[in-house]
Amino acid sequence: MNLSPLQKARYEYTPKLPGMLRSGIAEICVAEGSETSSVADQEKIRELFPNTYGKKEITFKKGQNTSTPKKQVVGVILSGGQAPGGHNVVCGLYDALKATDKDNVLYGFKNGPSGLIDDDYLIFDDSYIDQYRNTGGFDIIGSGRTKLETQEQFAIAAEVCKKHGITAIVIIGGDDSNTNAAVLAEYFAAHNTGVQVIGCPKTIDGDLKNDDIECSFGFDTATKTYSELIGNIERDANSAKKYWHFVKVMGRSASHVALECALETQPNICLISEEVAAKKMSLSQIADQIADSVEKRAANGMNFGVAIIPEGVVEFVPEFSALIAEINELLAGSKADTFNALPNWKEKYAFIESGLSKESMAVFAILPETIQQQLFLERDPHGNVQVSLIESEKLFSALVKDNLAQRKAAGTYTGKFNPLHHFFGYEGRCAFPSNFDADYCYSLGYNAFMLIQYGYNGYLSKVSNLSKPADEWVAGGMPITKMMNIERRHGEDKPVIRKALVELDGKPFKFFEANRDTWAVETAYTYPGAIQYYGPAAVCDLTTRTLALEKGE
Amino acid sequence: MNLSPLQKARYEYTPKLPGMLRSGIAEICVAEGSETSSVADQEKIRELFPNTYGKKEITFKKGQNTSTPKKQVVGVILSGGQAPGGHNVVCGLYDALKATDKDNVLYGFKNGPSGLIDDDYLIFDDSYIDQYRNTGGFDIIGSGRTKLETQEQFAIAAEVCKKHGITAIVIIGGDDSNTNAAVLAEYFAAHNTGVQVIGCPKTIDGDLKNDDIECSFGFDTATKTYSELIGNIERDANSAKKYWHFVKVMGRSASHVALECALETQPNICLISEEVAAKKMSLSQIADQIADSVEKRAANGMNFGVAIIPEGVVEFVPEFSALIAEINELLAGSKADTFNALPNWKEKYAFIESGLSKESMAVFAILPETIQQQLFLERDPHGNVQVSLIESEKLFSALVKDNLAQRKAAGTYTGKFNPLHHFFGYEGRCAFPSNFDADYCYSLGYNAFMLIQYGYNGYLSKVSNLSKPADEWVAGGMPITKMMNIERRHGEDKPVIRKALVELDGKPFKFFEANRDTWAVETAYTYPGAIQYYGPAAVCDLTTRTLALEKGE
């Protein structure tokens, strides 16, 4: 294996634990807090989780360890999309487990939750785990998107646990995976398996957070990586002075990533999907807003700029969602065959025109032809439009171009508009974790083992006070059910962890809102540069602007 | 201005000078070497540069400064595309100029060479220049692509210099800009203006190098930034285990960037344009080579991979260049109107089929339809195909997909192939310069002033021995004409600096060639991570693998 100099150096890094976990396993005791209730739909959630609902929040403190000695055999699972720091969760878990008793065993189930069902695993030892300390990626055991949600799966999982003598499962995942962890925990309790389940909050999207969970891991590193690139592009724009860069960033449902990148880099434009939905904005309104910035900057001689577009924004535009629904209806079943048989785009267009409502046709008509064709020609196996394939960065730059042509005709705009496009997603999900994520993740894993050792089930590993230095962090746990409510999913009422969207009255958005008119016109770019792992603390230990603002800092 | 923590920290960085420049201006003396001759076409070049040809190479040494005291008024110009470190060239130049005599003056001509012609400038002072130390971008004075090459332009330049009492011009640019610097130097000498011209070797493409110039500045930082992202993508590929990533990197004519990134990250595939041209490879051959890797990896259960594609590679495929030439001919003049009047793609396709040669039609036929349409529908103002717009990463993934379908039909391949696409260019041109580029650029600028002070004209600032620590670097200068030969450009014989392509018998390519078959099948990825400016020297001070291999290290 050919290791990079940074990878070798990162092996030497010692992640920082919260102060109360630093005195060694023998000196960690539990303080129980109040009983909890779910954020909404308390009766229904209680009914669905009779064995795990309403348990107490707990905090770890320095003090004599009073847990019952017991050989622990723990299984760990990485679930869903990669997030920087996942390896350190496993390392922290392993270190706490081995420090408690060197005969304890850690299983890693391979390639996501399916590894548990398929009984596909490895057993960690020092030499294996040491290769992954403070590194990015989920390649330590692989990840996967299989969902653990059926009774049949749970029964198999119980069998596999029994076979290996597993005492606890740690699931590292996002909101869906932790919802499933809670259901599995309840199943294990109801069936007296004796197996505990602990979740860890992972997702670069930043949408798994609430009053208890300050942030999910990976969000810090991923947004720092995207912000590095956006800052570099801003500097390029401000040097060449001739391009408008449209930068799409990951985030299908929530715009936390886009907002954090905007707070870090101060671009001319940043769309926020939650605002688009709340204000019921149309495509034209959004394009008009961007074109305003282009026009004002051009009037000051600046025919360049940077706009951040969240990946999922078009799905939040009401008129666009309506159009998609109509297209799906228009091509449902055998109607698609009629459409496909038409010999050319002109005839297809006529078919579309006669099939869409007047309102949706008006929306369709303003789209660039490449996107019009994509909506009709690239459909999923069920015949539905593949909204995730829509290149929204190109869509908006095309709409802005049309808008500017009108302004040019009207004589209000005389500038030049040369757009370039970028999409950043895979570039940040497997970066070496920042010091923050390396520390946070290691602490989450270490802490998860302490929750196991003290016998908790259906809990989320919780580390808070994260905007402060690590020694002031607070470690503990809370019942996953506390974060749940009932939502309609696929026609059924389901208990789920509520996804955290960008709050339009929250401090991060408010700060953005208060500054964006200035940023739209001036060149107020900030250049964060690459993530630093060494050097001054201000450069390498600070976490996100989002968290700092939320904490009022 | 809202400065990032890294930007603030980088202001405190002191760039390292070569040892012989470290004792202060009073202790820098000159050692003259042998007279030089151009790399080829000596007689013609001598004839074209009667006043500046054949001058001696020079090296600076520690010893008493014997230059003639003279008030220096220097103008500096940034030319062409951004490259990390440009600001430090200006800072080094400014510091040497002010250290020699605080009454010396540095002009910055704005937005490229046109600033000199338009007399558009600023005058540097400490507070202005301090904002740009060790930062990326060319925003200190802006850059531009105007070429200084006509006698009229030179006459205006001479006037502007006379008006301000300018004694020397420093041009920071690539091969073309330094060619023009040499011509300007000759003009100034022939017309006894007394104005000197010094060039500095800039380009992220890495194609301005030769026996004298070990590398151009910016190549180190840009390739490290791209390699960071490619490494992150490799780790993502190896975690998710379900995507093939096709990554295009900048480099229209030479593949140094692609090769350096491959040496840093060890991907499964990296195309090298120079090899494609030398072996006269066809599109199908290239696709077949990539598909071999996909098939072999799939046979080992690995339905994922990473391929690096140099931006300009399709232009090096002989059959593709022939196709482009035929298309340009087919649509020349009024023939385009006939084509455009055809009502749909089907009829257009028939027109194309009847107009292309059998060989070119065979090439055209295998292209994905989006690229077929692009070749005919998006043409430049002269009606020519815009080769630079061709998304070669998508072209090759589509050809590979077709190739794999044949293998599937033949029963040799049973895997899955899900391609994703990326293009990295603007992301790296304005990064904060690595310590190497910060040091190298500052040294180039400082050294450029010493060449001015000692009266040299038509010289390139030269710093060598770059794979060693900075105190062992060697500072000096060489006549730009030494790098020149005669090439045919736009139907005329022109004296130009020879562009350095990847040498297929050079050590970097040989190393790649010796390893690529293994990399194609195994997962031998290396993850470089983000550029580090602090921390262990192995992590933050090493320059490129290309240079290390060239130096036999």
Side-chain angles (χ1 to χ4, degrees), chain A residues 4 138 232 236 239 429 527, chain B residues 4 138 236 239 427 429 527:
Chain A
S4 73
F138 276 8
N232 288 354
D236 202 288
S239 299
R429 306 196 312 174
Y527 313 119
Chain B
S4 73
F138 277 8
D236 203 289
S239 300
E427 290 75 2
R429 306 196 312 174
Y527 313 119

Side-chain angles (χ1 to χ4, degrees), chain A residues 70-82:
Chain A
K70 167 184 175 186
K71 182 181 173 182
Q72 299 285 4
V73 180
V74 178
V76 63
I77 295 169
L78 291 164
S79 181
Q82 283 74 253

Side-chain angles (χ1 to χ4, degrees), chain B residues 337-446:
Chain B
D337 300 335
T338 315
F339 176 81
N340 293 335
L342 297 171
N344 58 48
W345 179 244
K346 203 176 157 188
E347 293 190 32
K348 284 180 169 147
Y349 197 94
F351 175 93
I352 295 164
E353 203 158 16
S354 66
L356 293 180
S357 69
K358 200 180 145 205
E359 293 72 25
S360 284
M361 190 58 212
V363 177
F364 186 75
I366 65 166
L367 300 177
E369 188 172 309
T370 50
I371 291 182
Q372 288 180 334
Q373 296 195 349
Q374 187 192 23
L375 292 178
F376 277 87
L377 304 179
E378 295 174 22
R379 297 198 302 285
D380 73 12
H382 308 288
N384 292 323
V385 172
Q386 299 196 68
V387 182
S388 68
L389 292 185
I390 295 171
E391 296 183 299
S392 44
E393 70 282 23
K394 292 186 181 168
L395 169 60
F396 284 111
S397 85
L399 294 177
V400 169
K401 196 169 187 175
D402 291 346
N403 185 299
L404 292 170
Q406 292 167 23
R407 292 174 190 233
K408 205 157 231 174
T412 59
Y413 169 71
T414 55
K416 288 178 187 169
F417 179 70
N418 294 311
L420 290 172
H421 306 95
H422 312 262
F423 171 40
F424 301 135
Y426 300 95
E427 290 75 2
R429 306 196 312 174
C430 290
F432 284 88
S434 61
N435 289 349
F436 172 82
D437 270 328
D439 298 347
Y440 180 40
C441 289
Y442 188 84
S443 300
L444 284 171
Y446 198 98

Side-chain angles (χ1 to χ4, degrees), chain B residues 176-319:
Chain B
D176 277 352
S177 304
N178 278 295
T179 291
N180 294 339
V183 182
L184 182 63
E186 177 65 28
Y187 179 95
F188 281 165
H191 292 74
N192 295 310
T193 60
V195 183
Q196 300 156 241
V197 180
I198 302 292
C200 288
K202 172 229 72 168
T203 168
I204 66 156
D205 293 340
D207 56 7
L208 173 49
K209 67 176 174 182
N210 46 51
D211 290 345
D212 286 289
I213 302 302
E214 294 178 1
C215 72
S216 55
F217 79 76
F219 179 68
D220 180 74
T221 307
T223 55
K224 280 187 166 69
T225 302
Y226 305 144
S227 297
E228 169 200 357
L229 302 178
I230 295 168
N232 288 355
I233 285 170
E234 286 180 339
R235 195 134 213 173
D236 203 289
N238 191 28
S239 300
K241 302 189 192 297
K242 61 181 177 185
Y243 296 116
W244 263 86
H245 295 265
F246 285 71
V247 183
K248 185 168 72 175
V249 292
M250 265 193 179
R252 280 293 298 284
S253 46
S255 295
H256 298 290
V257 170
L259 179 56
E260 171 63 20
C261 291
L263 296 171
E264 293 270 1
T265 63
Q266 306 191 169
N268 304 105
I269 294 287
C270 176
L271 303 182
I272 301 295
S273 299
E274 290 84 346
E275 185 183 28
V276 166
K279 296 187 174 169
K280 298 188 171 47
M281 293 177 80
S282 68
L283 292 177
S284 300
Q285 277 176 308
I286 297 170
D288 204 50
Q289 186 183 307
I290 302 173
D292 277 346
S293 168
V294 176
E295 181 184 323
K296 284 180 191 155
R297 288 177 62 77
N300 296 327
M302 296 184 289
N303 287 300
F304 63 92
V306 173
I308 300 178
I309 314 286
E311 190 182 8
V313 65
V314 289
E315 298 176 62
F316 287 76
V317 177
E319 62 178 18

Side-chain angles (χ1 to χ4, degrees), chain A residues 88-166:
Chain A
N88 268 26
V89 180
V90 180
C91 294
L93 176 62
Y94 178 86
D95 287 355
L97 173 143
K98 290 290 184 187
T100 299
D101 183 343
K102 66 177 174 32
D103 291 332
N104 285 342
V105 181
L106 183 63
Y107 282 68
F109 288 102
K110 289 188 186 173
N111 302 322
S114 63
L116 177 58
I117 306 300
D118 302 341
D119 197 17
D120 184 13
Y121 64 90
L122 56 78
I123 294 174
F124 290 101
D125 60 21
D126 289 355
S127 70
Y128 186 80
I129 212 154
D130 286 351
Q131 296 172 55
Y132 293 92
R133 291 184 186 273
N134 308 304
T135 59
F138 276 8
D139 43 306
I140 188 169
I141 45 175
S143 185
R145 293 189 183 273
T146 305
K147 290 192 194 308
L148 289 186
E149 49 190 359
T150 69
Q151 297 291 311
E152 294 71 29
Q153 288 174 321
F154 295 161
I156 298 171
E159 278 305 306
V160 171
C161 289
K162 196 172 169 189
K163 173 178 164 193
H164 298 296
I166 283 175

